[in-house]
Amino acid sequence: MASRRVSSLLSRSLMSSSSSSLFSLRGRDPLMNRGGAYRYSSLASALEDTITPPVKVEHTQLLINGKFVDSASGKTFPTLDPRTGEVIAQVAEGDVEDVNRAVVAARKAFDEGPWPRMTAYERSKILFRFADLIEKHNDEIAALETWDNGKPYEQSAKIEVPMLARVFRYYAGWADKIHGMTVPGDGSHHVQTLHEPIGVAGQIIPWNFPLLMLSWKLGPALACGNTVVLKTAEQTPLSALLVGRLLHEAGLPEGVVNIVSGFGPTAGAAIASHMDIDKVAFTGSTDVGKIILELASKSNLKAVTLELGGKSPFIVCEDADVDQAVDLAHFALFFNQGQCCCAGSRTFVHERVYDEFVEKAKARAINRVVGDPFKSGIEQGPQVDSEQFKKILKYIRHGVDSGATLQAGGDRLGSKGYYIQPTVFSDVKDDMLIAKDEIFGPVQTILKFKDLDEVIARANNSRYGLAAGVFTQNLDTANRLMRALRVGSVWINCFDVFDATIPFGGYKMSGIGREKGIYSLNNYLQVKAVVTAIKNPAWL
């Protein structure tokens, strides 16, 4: 039941009501500008007054071998408040030497320490205690996540931190259920398989969902008995350090989880190329994923799982209830400020309902509540940093220049921080950059289609294959699309359902492997075949 409650907060379905959803609160109507799009001046002044976050930053050092320590170089870097661009704290900057220290600690913990040698039941008890501590510190963790990332506090506190606990409970339950098999051979042999931990895992998590991605990687790795060196994103290092402390409060032995904050070209590359790391898992952009794969292959050919970019189609069929389709498509794109790898960022709408859909999608975007993420009722906070902010505005200019119709938004909001107006384009063509590239921001592109054959071909005409959404009342249409779309997840009349049990990953250049569910355990296990000759067997 816990997974259903959490998932219901994160997903939208045909049964949901726009009046009751956390993500469909209504705001003020802005004024229209001369170009026909809308400006949000009525909200801009409210962004100038920021709420003091209800949390103190306690941990800014690296976590190596169970202790918080400075970087070997003594260097630090600033982590910024995306609401203002001001410094929250100076954080230790891990480099190659720090990764080496962390790997030494993880290797010793694996080769000599108690973690892989204790019973699976004992490991599960530590993970269950950890989940309890997450719940105990829910508000503190959520506040750090929002402060560092910019996502609404209500999202962090009511959705993401509870999901963090849920994922660890799920994998705690798996710890003592991982086992091999006895298999028949063709001769007089006893044949069995052993499922063994892979060893030291390197993990690199992104900034858009720091804690959820931490759980998707740490959960299965620890349940299988591995040790870990984890690098946080340089934009969002704070929440993982607090969570690392709680892991050790739960009884995790020293050296099992080591957390290094730092930058991709230094600390990230050191993990991917390290000769004593047995496996690397990365979530981030496709371009960086290619680098990770190359470094892994050029070093010790370590196993690699990659969860990469997406340009997911959201298909609104001709039988759709337009009001419900607009609400769900809005959520599919704008959730988490549009900073979601599986965002429904290509909204394909059947020509029969296209014009009505566009008008209502524009109205929904205009009414989206943007503001300080610590304020109650806020749907959209700032983008994570200035680099992402500038990138999104550049894509918006591309959309205008390429001939798409700007229906709403199109500019920054306020004079400080990284807020962007919820933006909607119509009359979008497949060859436009806004229809091909992963924008990773609050920019909805609406495309028109005539029939299923056409939309299947166009939806699949992408280098990405992470996810898709389908909105229809016709079972035959749903069945056809779910099989035809070349993606790792298809959500039918819902979107962003992320239960711990459901595998997630992509086709094509959206990645390699799956995270969550039973499938992710395979990422952190080796399978060993053991064959023993037997004499005079009673049976074979």
Side-chain angles (χ1 to χ4, degrees), residues 96 99-100 103 269-278 299-300 302:
V96 175
V99 170
N100 287 337
V103 173
I271 288 173
S273 60
H274 205 288
M275 293 297 293
D276 207 21
I277 288 180
D278 302 298
S299 52
N300 59 345
K302 58 178 66 66

Side-chain angles (χ1 to χ4, degrees), residues 71 75 195 388 466:
S71 62
K75 292 193 297 184
H195 289 185
Q388 187 66 14
L466 191 54

